[in-house]
Protein backbone atom coordinates (compact mmCIF):
# COMPACT_ATOMS: atom_id res chain seq x y z
CA UNK A 1 0.00 0.00 0.00
CA UNK A 2 1.35 3.42 -1.03
CA UNK A 3 2.12 5.53 2.06
CA UNK A 4 0.83 8.59 0.19
CA UNK A 5 -2.63 7.09 0.45
CA UNK A 6 -2.30 6.99 4.25
CA UNK A 7 -1.18 10.63 4.25
CA UNK A 8 -4.28 11.46 2.19
CA UNK A 9 -6.45 9.55 4.67
CA UNK A 10 -4.97 11.51 7.58
CA UNK A 11 -5.55 14.84 5.82
CA UNK A 12 -9.19 13.97 5.05
CA UNK A 13 -9.75 12.76 8.62
CA UNK A 14 -8.31 16.06 9.90
CA UNK A 15 -10.21 18.41 7.57
CA UNK A 16 -13.34 16.23 7.29
CA UNK A 17 -13.62 17.58 3.76
CA UNK A 18 -12.36 16.12 0.46
CA UNK A 19 -12.09 19.53 -1.20
CA UNK A 20 -10.01 21.07 1.61
CA UNK A 21 -7.79 18.00 1.75
CA UNK A 22 -7.25 18.31 -2.02
CA UNK A 23 -6.20 21.96 -1.64
CA UNK A 24 -3.82 21.19 1.22
CA UNK A 25 -2.18 18.31 -0.68
CA UNK A 26 -2.14 20.11 -4.05
CA UNK A 27 -4.22 17.37 -5.66
CA UNK A 28 -7.54 17.26 -7.46
CA UNK A 29 -10.61 16.20 -5.51
CA UNK A 30 -10.99 13.19 -7.80
CA UNK A 31 -7.44 12.10 -6.91
CA UNK A 32 -8.28 12.34 -3.20
CA UNK A 33 -11.46 10.30 -3.73
CA UNK A 34 -9.54 7.70 -5.74
CA UNK A 35 -6.91 7.25 -3.01
CA UNK A 36 -9.54 6.86 -0.30
CA UNK A 37 -11.45 4.38 -2.45
CA UNK A 38 -8.29 2.32 -2.99
CA UNK A 39 -7.60 2.36 0.75
CA UNK A 40 -11.12 1.17 1.45
CA UNK A 41 -10.71 -1.60 -1.12
CA UNK A 42 -7.38 -2.58 0.42
CA UNK A 43 -8.80 -2.83 3.94
CA UNK A 44 -12.15 -4.13 2.65
CA UNK A 45 -14.10 -1.68 4.79
CA UNK A 46 -15.57 1.84 4.66
CA UNK A 47 -13.43 4.49 6.32
CA UNK A 48 -15.79 7.47 5.98
CA UNK A 49 -19.52 8.11 6.08
CA UNK A 50 -20.32 10.57 3.29
CA UNK A 51 -23.08 13.02 4.19
CA UNK A 52 -24.34 15.82 1.99
CA UNK A 53 -22.46 18.62 3.80
CA UNK A 54 -19.80 16.74 5.74
CA UNK A 55 -18.03 13.44 6.19
CA UNK A 56 -17.47 11.41 9.33
CA UNK A 57 -15.05 8.65 10.21
CA UNK A 58 -16.46 5.16 10.58
CA UNK A 59 -15.38 2.99 13.50
CA UNK A 60 -12.82 1.37 11.18
CA UNK A 61 -11.58 4.82 10.15
CA UNK A 62 -11.09 5.82 13.79
CA UNK A 63 -9.11 2.64 14.39
CA UNK A 64 -6.89 3.28 11.38
CA UNK A 65 -5.75 6.76 12.47
CA UNK A 66 -3.05 5.72 15.00
CA UNK A 67 -1.66 3.12 12.61
CA UNK A 68 -1.55 5.63 9.75
CA UNK A 69 0.16 8.20 11.98
CA UNK A 70 2.67 5.62 13.18
CA UNK A 71 3.49 4.42 9.65
CA UNK A 72 3.84 7.98 8.35
CA UNK A 73 6.11 8.88 11.26
CA UNK A 74 8.19 5.74 10.79
CA UNK A 75 8.63 6.48 7.09
CA UNK A 76 9.71 10.05 7.83
CA UNK A 77 12.29 8.75 10.32
CA UNK A 78 13.52 6.20 7.78
CA UNK A 79 13.93 8.86 5.11
CA UNK A 80 15.91 11.00 7.52
CA UNK A 81 18.10 8.07 8.62
CA UNK A 82 18.81 6.97 5.06
CA UNK A 83 19.24 10.53 3.83
CA UNK A 84 16.53 10.01 1.24
CA UNK A 85 15.81 13.69 0.90
CA UNK A 86 17.57 13.59 -2.47
CA UNK A 87 15.55 10.64 -3.79
CA UNK A 88 12.77 11.61 -6.20
CA UNK A 89 9.77 9.32 -6.54
CA UNK A 90 7.55 8.64 -9.55
CA UNK A 91 4.88 6.03 -10.28
CA UNK A 92 4.80 4.44 -13.73
CA UNK A 93 1.96 2.43 -15.25
CA UNK A 94 2.18 0.05 -18.19
CA UNK A 95 -0.10 -2.28 -20.09
CA UNK A 96 1.23 -5.87 -20.11
CA UNK A 97 2.26 -5.79 -23.78
CA UNK A 98 3.93 -2.38 -23.46
CA UNK A 99 5.89 -3.80 -20.54
CA UNK A 100 7.11 -6.72 -22.67
CA UNK A 101 7.87 -4.52 -25.68
CA UNK A 102 9.46 -1.52 -24.01
CA UNK A 103 9.34 -0.99 -20.25
CA UNK A 104 11.53 -3.92 -19.19
CA UNK A 105 14.47 -2.71 -21.27
CA UNK A 106 13.86 0.99 -20.60
CA UNK A 107 14.19 0.44 -16.85
CA UNK A 108 17.95 0.10 -17.37
CA UNK A 109 18.04 3.41 -19.25
CA UNK A 110 16.13 5.14 -16.47
CA UNK A 111 18.42 3.76 -13.77
CA UNK A 112 21.53 4.89 -15.64
CA UNK A 113 20.33 8.35 -16.64
CA UNK A 114 18.34 9.16 -13.49
CA UNK A 115 20.34 7.69 -10.56
CA UNK A 116 18.35 9.68 -8.00
CA UNK A 117 15.02 8.34 -9.23
CA UNK A 118 12.94 6.00 -7.08
CA UNK A 119 10.44 4.37 -9.43
CA UNK A 120 7.39 2.26 -8.75
CA UNK A 121 5.79 0.36 -11.64
CA UNK A 122 2.20 -0.89 -11.90
CA UNK A 123 0.76 -3.31 -14.49
CA UNK A 124 -2.65 -2.03 -15.66
CA UNK A 125 -5.11 -2.47 -18.49
CA UNK A 126 -5.92 0.53 -20.71
CA UNK A 127 -9.05 1.53 -18.75
CA UNK A 128 -7.26 1.35 -15.38
CA UNK A 129 -4.27 3.20 -16.78
CA UNK A 130 -6.41 6.06 -18.08
CA UNK A 131 -8.38 6.37 -14.83
CA UNK A 132 -5.33 6.29 -12.57
CA UNK A 133 -3.49 8.78 -14.77
CA UNK A 134 -6.37 11.25 -14.57
CA UNK A 135 -6.68 10.71 -10.83
CA UNK A 136 -2.91 11.26 -10.49
CA UNK A 137 -2.36 7.89 -8.87
CA UNK A 138 0.32 7.27 -11.53
CA UNK A 139 2.58 9.93 -13.08
CA UNK A 140 3.17 8.50 -16.56
CA UNK A 141 2.62 5.28 -18.47
CA UNK A 142 3.47 3.15 -21.48
CA UNK A 143 0.79 1.61 -23.70
CA UNK A 144 0.43 0.10 -27.17
CA UNK A 145 -2.90 1.87 -27.62
CA UNK A 146 -3.11 5.69 -27.43
CA UNK A 147 -5.50 7.09 -24.84
CA UNK A 148 -8.54 8.97 -26.11
CA UNK A 149 -8.53 12.04 -23.89
CA UNK A 150 -8.00 15.76 -24.49
CA UNK A 151 -6.12 15.94 -21.17
CA UNK A 152 -3.51 13.36 -22.17
CA UNK A 153 -0.53 13.58 -24.48
CA UNK A 154 0.38 10.42 -26.41
CA UNK A 155 3.99 10.39 -27.58
CA UNK A 156 5.09 7.53 -29.89
CA UNK A 157 8.50 6.40 -28.60
CA UNK A 158 9.04 3.01 -30.19
CA UNK A 159 7.76 1.29 -33.31
CA UNK A 160 8.49 -2.12 -34.85
CA UNK A 161 7.27 -3.91 -37.94
CA UNK A 162 5.25 -7.09 -37.49
CA UNK A 163 5.66 -10.41 -39.23
CA UNK A 164 3.91 -13.78 -39.34
CA UNK A 165 6.14 -16.36 -37.62
CA UNK A 166 5.66 -20.11 -37.26
CA UNK A 167 7.27 -23.11 -35.61
CA UNK A 168 6.12 -25.59 -38.26
CA UNK A 169 4.63 -23.89 -41.34
CA UNK A 170 6.34 -22.97 -44.61
CA UNK A 171 3.65 -20.71 -46.07
CA UNK A 172 0.77 -18.47 -44.98
CA UNK A 173 -1.95 -21.04 -45.67
CA UNK A 174 -0.25 -23.63 -43.47
CA UNK A 175 0.51 -21.04 -40.77
CA UNK A 176 -3.12 -20.00 -40.45
CA UNK A 177 -4.21 -23.58 -39.78
CA UNK A 178 -2.62 -23.37 -36.32
CA UNK A 179 -2.67 -19.63 -35.68
CA UNK A 180 -2.50 -17.86 -32.31
CA UNK A 181 -3.93 -14.35 -32.51
CA UNK A 182 -2.53 -11.59 -30.28
CA UNK A 183 -5.01 -8.74 -29.95
CA UNK A 184 -2.39 -5.98 -30.06
CA UNK A 185 -5.10 -3.35 -30.51
CA UNK A 186 -8.38 -3.15 -32.49
CA UNK A 187 -6.79 -1.41 -35.50
CA UNK A 188 -4.08 -4.05 -35.95
CA UNK A 189 -6.54 -6.91 -35.46
CA UNK A 190 -8.86 -5.57 -38.14
CA UNK A 191 -5.96 -5.06 -40.55
CA UNK A 192 -4.80 -8.64 -39.98
CA UNK A 193 -8.29 -9.98 -40.60
CA UNK A 194 -8.41 -8.07 -43.88
CA UNK A 195 -5.02 -9.44 -44.93
CA UNK A 196 -5.76 -12.98 -43.75
CA UNK A 197 -9.52 -13.69 -43.43
CA UNK A 198 -8.70 -17.15 -42.06
CA UNK A 199 -7.09 -15.47 -39.03
CA UNK A 200 -10.59 -14.90 -37.65
CA UNK A 201 -10.72 -18.64 -37.01
CA UNK A 202 -7.59 -18.58 -34.85
CA UNK A 203 -6.85 -21.62 -32.71
CA UNK A 204 -6.36 -19.36 -29.72
CA UNK A 205 -6.88 -15.64 -29.08
CA UNK A 206 -5.47 -13.49 -26.29
CA UNK A 207 -4.65 -9.89 -25.55
CA UNK A 208 -1.49 -10.94 -23.68
CA UNK A 209 1.82 -11.28 -25.47
CA UNK A 210 3.30 -13.42 -22.69
CA UNK A 211 0.34 -15.85 -22.72
CA UNK A 212 0.58 -16.18 -26.51
CA UNK A 213 4.32 -16.86 -26.49
CA UNK A 214 3.97 -19.37 -23.65
CA UNK A 215 1.30 -21.14 -25.70
CA UNK A 216 3.63 -21.25 -28.71
CA UNK A 217 6.48 -22.58 -26.57
CA UNK A 218 4.24 -25.34 -25.27
CA UNK A 219 2.22 -26.33 -28.33
CA UNK A 220 3.87 -24.70 -31.32
CA UNK A 221 1.98 -22.83 -34.01
CA UNK A 222 2.00 -19.46 -35.76
CA UNK A 223 1.78 -15.93 -34.37
CA UNK A 224 2.29 -12.31 -35.41
CA UNK A 225 5.32 -10.81 -33.64
CA UNK A 226 8.05 -8.21 -34.01
CA UNK A 227 11.46 -9.48 -35.10
CA UNK A 228 13.03 -8.90 -31.66
CA UNK A 229 10.24 -10.81 -29.93
CA UNK A 230 10.62 -13.67 -32.39
CA UNK A 231 14.35 -13.78 -31.67
CA UNK A 232 13.62 -14.05 -27.96
CA UNK A 233 11.13 -16.84 -28.58
CA UNK A 234 13.60 -18.57 -30.90
CA UNK A 235 15.94 -19.14 -27.95
CA UNK A 236 13.40 -21.56 -26.52
CA UNK A 237 11.64 -22.91 -29.62
CA UNK A 238 12.70 -22.77 -33.26
CA UNK A 239 10.52 -20.23 -35.05
CA UNK A 240 10.91 -18.71 -38.51
CA UNK A 241 9.27 -15.86 -40.38
CA UNK A 242 6.69 -16.97 -42.90
CA UNK A 243 5.84 -13.50 -44.21
CA UNK A 244 6.83 -9.92 -43.43
CA UNK A 245 3.89 -7.60 -42.76
CA UNK A 246 5.48 -4.34 -43.86
CA UNK A 247 2.18 -2.48 -43.73
CA UNK A 248 1.72 -3.26 -40.04
CA UNK A 249 3.72 -2.07 -37.06
CA UNK A 250 3.18 -1.96 -33.31
CA UNK A 251 3.84 1.36 -31.59
CA UNK A 252 4.53 1.98 -27.92
CA UNK A 253 3.30 5.30 -26.55
CA UNK A 254 4.50 7.32 -23.59
CA UNK A 255 1.38 8.90 -22.08
CA UNK A 256 1.06 11.63 -19.45
CA UNK A 257 -1.24 14.44 -18.43
CA UNK A 258 -0.75 17.80 -20.12
CA UNK A 259 0.47 20.71 -18.02
CA UNK A 260 3.23 18.89 -16.11
CA UNK A 261 4.45 20.68 -12.98
CA UNK A 262 6.97 18.04 -11.89
CA UNK A 263 10.52 18.88 -13.02
CA UNK A 264 11.78 15.28 -12.82
CA UNK A 265 8.84 13.99 -14.85
CA UNK A 266 9.48 16.71 -17.44
CA UNK A 267 13.14 15.63 -17.67
CA UNK A 268 12.14 11.98 -18.01
CA UNK A 269 9.68 12.75 -20.80
CA UNK A 270 12.25 14.90 -22.63
CA UNK A 271 14.75 12.05 -22.33
CA UNK A 272 12.43 9.52 -23.96
CA UNK A 273 11.44 11.96 -26.68
CA UNK A 274 15.10 12.56 -27.57
CA UNK A 275 16.09 8.89 -27.41
CA UNK A 276 13.33 7.58 -29.66
Amino acid sequence: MDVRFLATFLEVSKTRHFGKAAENLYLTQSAISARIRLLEEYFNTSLFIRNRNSIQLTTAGEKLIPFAESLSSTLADARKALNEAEVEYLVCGATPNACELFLNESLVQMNVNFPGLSLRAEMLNVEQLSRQLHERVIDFAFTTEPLKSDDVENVPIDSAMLGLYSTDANNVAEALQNYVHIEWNPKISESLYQLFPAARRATFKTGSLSIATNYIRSKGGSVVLTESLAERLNDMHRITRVEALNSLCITTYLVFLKGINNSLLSELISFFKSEN
Side-chain angles (χ1 to χ4, degrees):
M1 173 53 63
D2 194 322
V3 72
R4 294 182 299 178
F5 294 3
L6 292 175
T8 301
F9 164 75
L10 289 173
E11 189 63 32
V12 174
S13 65
K14 181 176 69 175
T15 61
R16 302 298 173 95
H17 196 282
F18 280 41
K20 290 179 182 177
E23 291 178 11
N24 293 342
L25 294 175
Y26 301 98
L27 294 169
T28 63
Q29 190 165 330
S30 61
I32 294 292
S33 298
R35 290 184 177 185
I36 296 300
R37 184 175 64 252
L38 288 171
L39 266 181
E40 290 178 327
E41 290 176 359
Y42 180 80
F43 290 113
N44 195 29
T45 187
S46 296
L47 299 174
F48 294 99
I49 300 171
R50 282 92 165 159
N51 297 318
R52 178 174 294 181
N53 298 318
S54 65
I55 61 172
Q56 296 178 339
L57 284 160
T58 62
T59 301
E62 294 282 2
K63 289 180 179 179
L64 180 60
I65 286 178
F67 293 102
E69 290 175 339
S70 177
L71 285 169
S72 296
S73 177
T74 299
L75 180 64
D77 291 342
R79 281 178 175 164
K80 184 177 180 181
L82 298 174
N83 193 27
E84 288 187 337
E86 297 179 0
V87 174
E88 296 183 87
Y89 179 68
L90 292 175
V91 182
C92 169
T95 57
N97 289 347
C99 185
E100 293 277 349
L101 284 166
F102 187 82
L103 179 58
N104 289 336
E105 294 183 6
S106 70
L107 288 173
V108 176
Q109 290 180 295
M110 285 188 272
N111 286 333
V112 170
N113 291 278
F114 298 89
L117 171 64
S118 178
L119 183 69
R120 175 181 159 196
E122 297 285 351
M123 195 83 75
L124 305 165
N125 62 37
V126 174
E127 291 75 18
Q128 292 171 326
L129 188 151
S130 180
R131 177 170 59 82
Q132 293 196 21
L133 193 65
H134 282 89
E135 293 172 347
R136 300 181 189 273
V137 176
I138 60 176
D139 298 297
F140 66 104
F142 298 101
T143 174
T144 55
E145 186 176 344
L147 301 187
K148 298 176 182 179
S149 170
D150 293 335
D151 299 324
V152 170
E153 188 165 346
N154 297 280
V155 179
I157 55 172
D158 187 63
S159 186
M161 292 295 178
L162 294 170
L164 179 62
Y165 291 83
S166 180
T167 61
D168 50 23
N170 297 313
N171 56 60
V172 172
E174 290 180 0
L176 294 177
Q177 290 177 11
N178 188 17
Y179 171 65
V180 175
H181 181 71
I182 299 175
E183 295 168 340
W184 293 104
N185 61 47
K187 184 177 179 180
I188 289 179
S189 290
E190 188 55 38
S191 296
L192 280 169
Y193 293 152
Q194 289 179 5
L195 281 171
F196 310 125
R200 294 182 183 274
R201 300 188 297 275
T203 303
F204 180 62
K205 294 183 180 181
T206 177
S208 169
L209 170 61
S210 62
I211 291 176
T213 52
N214 285 337
Y215 184 97
I216 293 293
R217 286 190 181 102
S218 174
K219 300 181 180 297
S222 306
V223 64
V224 170
L225 297 172
T226 66
E227 184 176 359
S228 62
L229 290 172
E231 287 175 354
R232 269 190 256 167
L233 185 59
N234 206 29
D235 292 339
M236 302 289 294
H237 202 307
R238 184 178 176 276
I239 188 167
T240 57
R241 189 173 68 188
V242 175
E243 184 165 322
L245 305 176
N246 296 325
S247 62
L248 294 180
C249 67
I250 182 67
T251 301
T252 302
Y253 297 87
L254 169 65
V255 298
F256 50 89
L257 288 179
K258 296 177 181 177
I260 301 169
N261 57 9
N262 183 309
S263 59
L264 177 61
L265 180 57
S266 296
E267 290 178 25
L268 194 66
I269 290 168
S270 297
F271 169 75
F272 280 116
K273 284 181 176 180
S274 63
E275 286 292 305
N276 300 278

